[in-house]
């Protein structure tokens, strides 16, 4: 949900339909609600509702359609245009929607995206911090997670990986299995991506940069705020190989762009091997709906051995 023009359909088009950011300028306003069913992991189907943000539609969601819109919600994602001139009006609608949500789906998680951060000229981290506080106040005690996002960089993948992660019922089991694969490959890290969206589903490490661990509670209130691309992020002290804090979302974004280039020359993307100076990375199909990336810093480990381990692990993940 969110005001008209805040960028809801654009992000859906990028993440779930593999379209490039440049194509979003052609999108028209969403009429009422557009529903999408995205088969995510095996039998897990993500039921995504894109609620057009024009005032007439918003008013109808809050009145006649109230029980349809706000019942059985797993996650509400509310998008704010970072450069909006109508923040007060946006906040008013947001408060009303939050009220509807807490009435009809009290268990639902709430994610707030301060979107179009690429357009912000003042220091982005300071602006984001201000917005975050404003949103925290407007949420009157409801637990929220805030991300700064843009369709022009990897920030959107970080936010959406985190959102989707909250919806996966067996995420902890996946983490455990990935740890076993990591140990078998002597890998520094193993990451599981969803096949179409390339969102991160689970990782073998439980570092602060993992999407599952990006939310932290603040002591001053019951709201919780995530670290974001646009907020200063602390270095990861537990990271022996100095791996980049944004590596997951950067990988999602780069592979999606690569897949798109492949499709333009009518080639299908299957796997990728990177042999760099200080590490090796193998990206390969794990199941019908997932890809796995194994990152190894030990130069004595052969790529073929990593691929063999992935092949042997497939059955466990199906
Ligand atoms: P409704 O369907 O009316 O509710 O609007 P919406 O929220 O779905 O907005 P939409 O996705 O149609 O985006 C409106 C405009 O914002 C488009 O021209 C997009 O190209 C642009 N846009 C979306 N995301 C971004 C972003 O991150 N940065 C910038 N600069 N523009 C964006």
């Amino acid at each position: 949900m969110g005001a008209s023009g805040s960028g809801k359909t654009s992000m859906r088009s990028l993440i779930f339909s593999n379209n490039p950011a440049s194509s979003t300028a052609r999108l028209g306003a969403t009429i009422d609600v557009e529903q999408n069913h995205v088969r995510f992991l095996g039998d897990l189907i993500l039921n995504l509702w894109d609620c057009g943000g024009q005032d007439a539609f918003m008013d109808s969601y809050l009145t006649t359609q109230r029980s349809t819109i706000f019942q059985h919600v797993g996650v509400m994602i509310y998008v704010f245009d970072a450069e909006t001139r109508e923040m007060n009006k946006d906040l008013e609608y947001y408060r009303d929607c939050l009220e509807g949500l807490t009435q009809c789906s009290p268990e639902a998680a709430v994610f707030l995206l301060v979107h179009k951060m690429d357009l912000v000229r003042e220091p982005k981290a300071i602006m984001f911090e201000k917005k975050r506080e404003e949103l925290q106040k407007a949420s009157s005690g409801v637990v929220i997670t805030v991300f700064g996002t843009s369709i022009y960089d990897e920030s959107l993948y970080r936010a959406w990986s985190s959102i989707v992660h909250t919806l996966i019922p067996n995420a902890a089991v996946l983490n455990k299995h990935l740890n076993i694969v990591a140990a078998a490959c002597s890998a520094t890290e193993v990451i599981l991506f969803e096949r179409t969206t390339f969102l991160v589903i689970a990782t073998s490490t439980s570092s602060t940069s993992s999407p599952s661990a990006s939310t932290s509670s603040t002591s001053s209130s019951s709201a919780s705020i995530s670290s974001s691309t646009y907020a200063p992020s602390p270095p990861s002290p537990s990271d022996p190989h100095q791996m980049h804090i944004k590596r997951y979302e950067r990988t999602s974004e780069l592979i999606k762009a690569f897949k798109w280039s492949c499709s333009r020359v009518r080639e299908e993307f299957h796997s990728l091997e990177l042999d760099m100076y200080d590490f090796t990375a193998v990206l390969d199909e794990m199941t019908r709906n997932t890809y796995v990336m194994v990152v190894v810093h030990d130069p004595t480990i052969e790529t073929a051995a990593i691929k063999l381990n992935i092949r042997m692990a497939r059955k466990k993940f199906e």
Side-chain angles (χ1 to χ4, degrees), residues 140-214:
S140 41
V142 174
V143 175
I144 56 165
T145 305
V146 189
F147 282 97
T149 53
S150 163
I151 54 169
Y152 295 108
D153 62 36
E154 70 282 350
S155 57
L156 198 60
Y157 288 91
R158 182 182 181 84
W160 275 89
S161 287
S162 179
I163 291 166
V164 159
H165 193 89
T166 61
L167 294 167
I168 294 173
N170 57 349
V173 181
L174 286 173
N175 284 107
K176 205 180 91 191
H177 288 320
L178 290 180
N179 271 318
I180 297 169
V181 177
C185 298
S186 298
T188 319
E189 190 165 42
V190 179
I191 308 141
L192 196 68
F193 296 94
E194 195 279 330
R195 191 185 185 100
T196 349
T197 58
F198 250 86
L199 294 173
V200 176
I201 295 172
T203 68
S204 62
T205 46
S206 54
S207 72
T208 45
S209 52
S210 137
S212 54
S214 65

Side-chain angles (χ1 to χ4, degrees), residues 4-10 24-25 29-30 53 115-116 118-119 150-151:
S4 180
S6 58
K8 301 176 294 298
T9 309
S10 304
T24 62
T30 305
H115 192 55
K116 304 193 187 179
D118 57 290
L119 297 178
S150 163
I151 54 169

Side-chain angles (χ1 to χ4, degrees), residues 207-277:
S207 72
T208 45
S209 52
S210 137
S212 54
S214 65
T215 306
S216 64
S217 287
T218 52
S219 52
S220 56
S221 98
S222 60
S224 71
I225 306 289
S226 83
S227 59
S228 149
T229 300
Y230 297 103
S233 34
S236 175
S238 58
D239 191 347
H241 296 286
Q242 300 278 308
M243 291 198 293
H244 202 282
I245 194 107
K246 294 180 195 165
R247 61 193 178 280
Y248 302 130
E249 51 267 35
R250 290 284 293 140
T251 309
S252 299
E253 192 201 10
L254 290 170
I255 300 291
K256 278 288 275 281
F258 185 59
K259 272 180 79 177
W260 192 72
S261 307
C262 288
S263 71
R264 289 195 66 183
V265 291
R266 296 202 172 78
E267 287 291 338
E268 214 182 311
F269 172 82
H270 287 293
S271 64
L272 196 72
E273 286 169 34
L274 281 179
D275 246 322
M276 305 304 280
Y277 164 69

Side-chain angles (χ1 to χ4, degrees), residues 80-92:
F80 292 90
D81 183 332
E83 292 283 84
T84 180
R85 285 155 195 247
E86 300 191 301
M87 192 60 184
N88 285 339
K89 182 178 152 200
D90 291 357
L91 284 177
E92 217 168 287

Side-chain angles (χ1 to χ4, degrees), residues 44-65:
L44 188 69
I45 294 172
L46 187 69
N47 188 359
L48 201 63
W49 291 27
D50 179 357
C51 303
Q54 292 178 33
D55 291 358
F57 300 133
M58 291 296 273
D59 292 337
S60 137
Y61 308 147
L62 292 163
T63 52
T64 45
Q65 296 194 69

